[in-house]
Amino acid sequence: MTITQLKYVLAVAEYQNFTLASEKCFVTQPTLSMQIQKLEEELDVVIFNRKKKPIELTPVGHKIVDQAKIILDESNRINDIVDQQKGYVGGDFKLGIIPTITPTLLPLFLNTFIKRYPKVNLKIEELNTNELLKKLKDGHLDAAIASTPLEDENIKERVLYYEPFVGFMSESHRLFSKNLITVDDLNIDDILLLEDGHCFKDSVINICRSFETTTTDSFKLESGSFSTLLKLSKEGMGMTLLPYLHTLDLKEEDKKYLKEFENPAPAREVALVYHKSQLKIQLVDALKSTIDGVIRGVISFSDVRIISPLKK
């Protein structure tokens, strides 16, 4: 039994296809199949039911895969221990970020991080929360930046900042004359939302539900971007809610449409998250330290009420 054979088993278990698994492992399909067959012969068991389409794990195959993940994690930990002992911060680091955070946070820390840690090969993916969690658990991401809490016992969360929600509405809107708005003012039928798949949409809906404001299941307008929501709001088709950092990049003439909430303002918690078995803790620490250093001068709120990003 070899580490390589176990890696091949995990690849086939994930992709449920020998050809695709071999491509992901950068080996030929016959080589991968032969190594898995050798392992099955050595253990005298059948790991995969090859008659099924897609390929399925046998009952004993499920147990072998669970143990293989542990073995591979522990083998990788040896390299991690050596890197930490040497104080080395480098290598590949795969980071996921949700779309409503990427455009505002990434420009703040990316250049600083790259200059400070030139030996790190940072690979960034923009994914929704469900995709981030799956990739973290499958080992395809080392860490992610997302709206929390995620209430997942396998995921560790390290808070980066609290970001209040801010209203955006046209001069003709019923709330425009108010200096500060309250959550009791909100009506979900009057709010333009991001489309399904964005946890920010779920947070907005949760604001209304948690404060017992009017809610229905009928949403007239949904979009994939804040820019579209802003244009629709200015046309008097409803108000929308923005994360605070998104308001900083608005044109000066558009800032007159912003309305802050009374304290404690509803807000989202943004955190650096990673799997509890994460090995590259020195890289996670380096990223957290970099973001902490740049974010303090941009956003600092404490009198807020955290709104869950999870569907209720």
PDB file of all heavy atoms in Angstrom, residues 208-221:
ATOM      1  N   CYS A 208     -35.096  41.062   7.843  1.00  0.00           N
ATOM      2  CA  CYS A 208     -36.539  41.296   7.912  1.00  0.00           C
ATOM      3  C   CYS A 208     -37.224  40.288   8.828  1.00  0.00           C
ATOM      4  O   CYS A 208     -38.092  40.639   9.624  1.00  0.00           O
ATOM      5  CB  CYS A 208     -37.142  41.224   6.510  1.00  0.00           C
ATOM      6  SG  CYS A 208     -36.512  42.497   5.395  1.00  0.00           S
ATOM      7  N   ARG A 209     -36.812  39.035   8.751  1.00  0.00           N
ATOM      8  CA  ARG A 209     -37.455  38.012   9.568  1.00  0.00           C
ATOM      9  C   ARG A 209     -37.091  38.141  11.039  1.00  0.00           C
ATOM     10  O   ARG A 209     -37.920  37.991  11.920  1.00  0.00           O
ATOM     11  CB  ARG A 209     -37.065  36.616   9.046  1.00  0.00           C
ATOM     12  CG  ARG A 209     -37.746  36.303   7.723  1.00  0.00           C
ATOM     13  CD  ARG A 209     -37.338  34.967   7.180  1.00  0.00           C
ATOM     14  NE  ARG A 209     -38.090  34.670   5.952  1.00  0.00           N
ATOM     15  CZ  ARG A 209     -37.753  33.737   5.083  1.00  0.00           C
ATOM     16  NH1 ARG A 209     -36.661  33.006   5.268  1.00  0.00           N
ATOM     17  NH2 ARG A 209     -38.485  33.525   4.001  1.00  0.00           N
ATOM     18  N   SER A 210     -35.815  38.452  11.302  1.00  0.00           N
ATOM     19  CA  SER A 210     -35.381  38.530  12.700  1.00  0.00           C
ATOM     20  C   SER A 210     -35.995  39.709  13.439  1.00  0.00           C
ATOM     21  O   SER A 210     -36.130  39.684  14.652  1.00  0.00           O
ATOM     22  CB  SER A 210     -33.848  38.610  12.775  1.00  0.00           C
ATOM     23  OG  SER A 210     -33.375  39.801  12.188  1.00  0.00           O
ATOM     24  N   PHE A 211     -36.339  40.752  12.687  1.00  0.00           N
ATOM     25  CA  PHE A 211     -36.953  41.911  13.311  1.00  0.00           C
ATOM     26  C   PHE A 211     -38.460  41.964  13.070  1.00  0.00           C
ATOM     27  O   PHE A 211     -39.104  42.965  13.301  1.00  0.00           O
ATOM     28  CB  PHE A 211     -36.305  43.204  12.799  1.00  0.00           C
ATOM     29  CG  PHE A 211     -34.904  43.390  13.285  1.00  0.00           C
ATOM     30  CD1 PHE A 211     -33.829  42.933  12.542  1.00  0.00           C
ATOM     31  CD2 PHE A 211     -34.648  43.986  14.510  1.00  0.00           C
ATOM     32  CE1 PHE A 211     -32.537  43.090  12.991  1.00  0.00           C
ATOM     33  CE2 PHE A 211     -33.343  44.151  14.966  1.00  0.00           C
ATOM     34  CZ  PHE A 211     -32.287  43.701  14.206  1.00  0.00           C
ATOM     35  N   GLU A 212     -38.996  40.836  12.556  1.00  0.00           N
ATOM     36  CA  GLU A 212     -40.430  40.675  12.378  1.00  0.00           C
ATOM     37  C   GLU A 212     -41.046  41.783  11.521  1.00  0.00           C
ATOM     38  O   GLU A 212     -42.132  42.274  11.791  1.00  0.00           O
ATOM     39  CB  GLU A 212     -41.150  40.608  13.731  1.00  0.00           C
ATOM     40  CG  GLU A 212     -40.677  39.436  14.586  1.00  0.00           C
ATOM     41  CD  GLU A 212     -41.407  39.351  15.905  1.00  0.00           C
ATOM     42  OE1 GLU A 212     -42.144  40.298  16.256  1.00  0.00           O
ATOM     43  OE2 GLU A 212     -41.265  38.339  16.578  1.00  0.00           O
ATOM     44  N   THR A 213     -40.323  42.177  10.484  1.00  0.00           N
ATOM     45  CA  THR A 213     -40.903  43.122   9.544  1.00  0.00           C
ATOM     46  C   THR A 213     -41.671  42.336   8.498  1.00  0.00           C
ATOM     47  O   THR A 213     -41.643  41.116   8.471  1.00  0.00           O
ATOM     48  CB  THR A 213     -39.815  43.976   8.875  1.00  0.00           C
ATOM     49  OG1 THR A 213     -38.927  43.108   8.184  1.00  0.00           O
ATOM     50  CG2 THR A 213     -39.062  44.786   9.901  1.00  0.00           C
ATOM     51  N   THR A 214     -42.353  43.051   7.620  1.00  0.00           N
ATOM     52  CA  THR A 214     -43.205  42.395   6.649  1.00  0.00           C
ATOM     53  C   THR A 214     -42.393  41.507   5.722  1.00  0.00           C
ATOM     54  O   THR A 214     -41.379  41.909   5.186  1.00  0.00           O
ATOM     55  CB  THR A 214     -43.933  43.452   5.788  1.00  0.00           C
ATOM     56  OG1 THR A 214     -44.651  44.310   6.668  1.00  0.00           O
ATOM     57  CG2 THR A 214     -44.886  42.786   4.819  1.00  0.00           C
ATOM     58  N   THR A 215     -42.834  40.265   5.532  1.00  0.00           N
ATOM     59  CA  THR A 215     -42.161  39.355   4.607  1.00  0.00           C
ATOM     60  C   THR A 215     -43.192  38.576   3.812  1.00  0.00           C
ATOM     61  O   THR A 215     -44.261  38.243   4.303  1.00  0.00           O
ATOM     62  CB  THR A 215     -41.270  38.332   5.343  1.00  0.00           C
ATOM     63  OG1 THR A 215     -42.095  37.526   6.179  1.00  0.00           O
ATOM     64  CG2 THR A 215     -40.220  39.023   6.176  1.00  0.00           C
ATOM     65  N   THR A 216     -42.849  38.294   2.572  1.00  0.00           N
ATOM     66  CA  THR A 216     -43.626  37.365   1.761  1.00  0.00           C
ATOM     67  C   THR A 216     -42.631  36.579   0.945  1.00  0.00           C
ATOM     68  O   THR A 216     -41.440  36.851   0.968  1.00  0.00           O
ATOM     69  CB  THR A 216     -44.594  38.091   0.794  1.00  0.00           C
ATOM     70  OG1 THR A 216     -43.824  38.664  -0.268  1.00  0.00           O
ATOM     71  CG2 THR A 216     -45.417  39.157   1.488  1.00  0.00           C
ATOM     72  N   ASP A 217     -43.103  35.600   0.227  1.00  0.00           N
ATOM     73  CA  ASP A 217     -42.207  34.806  -0.603  1.00  0.00           C
ATOM     74  C   ASP A 217     -42.192  35.298  -2.049  1.00  0.00           C
ATOM     75  O   ASP A 217     -41.756  34.601  -2.952  1.00  0.00           O
ATOM     76  CB  ASP A 217     -42.618  33.330  -0.554  1.00  0.00           C
ATOM     77  CG  ASP A 217     -42.360  32.709   0.814  1.00  0.00           C
ATOM     78  OD1 ASP A 217     -41.365  33.096   1.445  1.00  0.00           O
ATOM     79  OD2 ASP A 217     -43.155  31.870   1.225  1.00  0.00           O
ATOM     80  N   SER A 218     -42.694  36.481  -2.288  1.00  0.00           N
ATOM     81  CA  SER A 218     -42.765  37.012  -3.649  1.00  0.00           C
ATOM     82  C   SER A 218     -41.751  38.133  -3.837  1.00  0.00           C
ATOM     83  O   SER A 218     -41.879  39.189  -3.235  1.00  0.00           O
ATOM     84  CB  SER A 218     -44.167  37.546  -3.940  1.00  0.00           C
ATOM     85  OG  SER A 218     -44.230  38.153  -5.208  1.00  0.00           O
ATOM     86  N   PHE A 219     -40.708  37.868  -4.643  1.00  0.00           N
ATOM     87  CA  PHE A 219     -39.689  38.871  -4.912  1.00  0.00           C
ATOM     88  C   PHE A 219     -39.765  39.259  -6.381  1.00  0.00           C
ATOM     89  O   PHE A 219     -39.627  38.419  -7.258  1.00  0.00           O
ATOM     90  CB  PHE A 219     -38.291  38.324  -4.568  1.00  0.00           C
ATOM     91  CG  PHE A 219     -38.206  37.805  -3.162  1.00  0.00           C
ATOM     92  CD1 PHE A 219     -37.861  36.499  -2.930  1.00  0.00           C
ATOM     93  CD2 PHE A 219     -38.503  38.625  -2.085  1.00  0.00           C
ATOM     94  CE1 PHE A 219     -37.785  36.006  -1.632  1.00  0.00           C
ATOM     95  CE2 PHE A 219     -38.437  38.145  -0.794  1.00  0.00           C
ATOM     96  CZ  PHE A 219     -38.082  36.819  -0.566  1.00  0.00           C
ATOM     97  N   LYS A 220     -39.959  40.522  -6.633  1.00  0.00           N
ATOM     98  CA  LYS A 220     -40.202  40.965  -8.001  1.00  0.00           C
ATOM     99  C   LYS A 220     -38.920  41.124  -8.811  1.00  0.00           C
ATOM    100  O   LYS A 220     -38.909  40.910 -10.007  1.00  0.00           O
ATOM    101  CB  LYS A 220     -40.976  42.285  -7.980  1.00  0.00           C
ATOM    102  CG  LYS A 220     -42.350  42.160  -7.333  1.00  0.00           C
ATOM    103  CD  LYS A 220     -43.040  43.512  -7.259  1.00  0.00           C
ATOM    104  CE  LYS A 220     -44.385  43.400  -6.569  1.00  0.00           C
ATOM    105  NZ  LYS A 220     -45.054  44.720  -6.434  1.00  0.00           N
ATOM    106  N   LEU A 221     -37.843  41.554  -8.145  1.00  0.00           N
ATOM    107  CA  LEU A 221     -36.607  41.836  -8.881  1.00  0.00           C
ATOM    108  C   LEU A 221     -35.408  41.234  -8.158  1.00  0.00           C
ATOM    109  O   LEU A 221     -35.210  41.473  -6.974  1.00  0.00           O
ATOM    110  CB  LEU A 221     -36.410  43.347  -9.030  1.00  0.00           C
ATOM    111  CG  LEU A 221     -37.349  44.059 -10.007  1.00  0.00           C
ATOM    112  CD1 LEU A 221     -37.238  45.565  -9.821  1.00  0.00           C
ATOM    113  CD2 LEU A 221     -37.014  43.685 -11.436  1.00  0.00           C
TER     114      LEU A 221
END
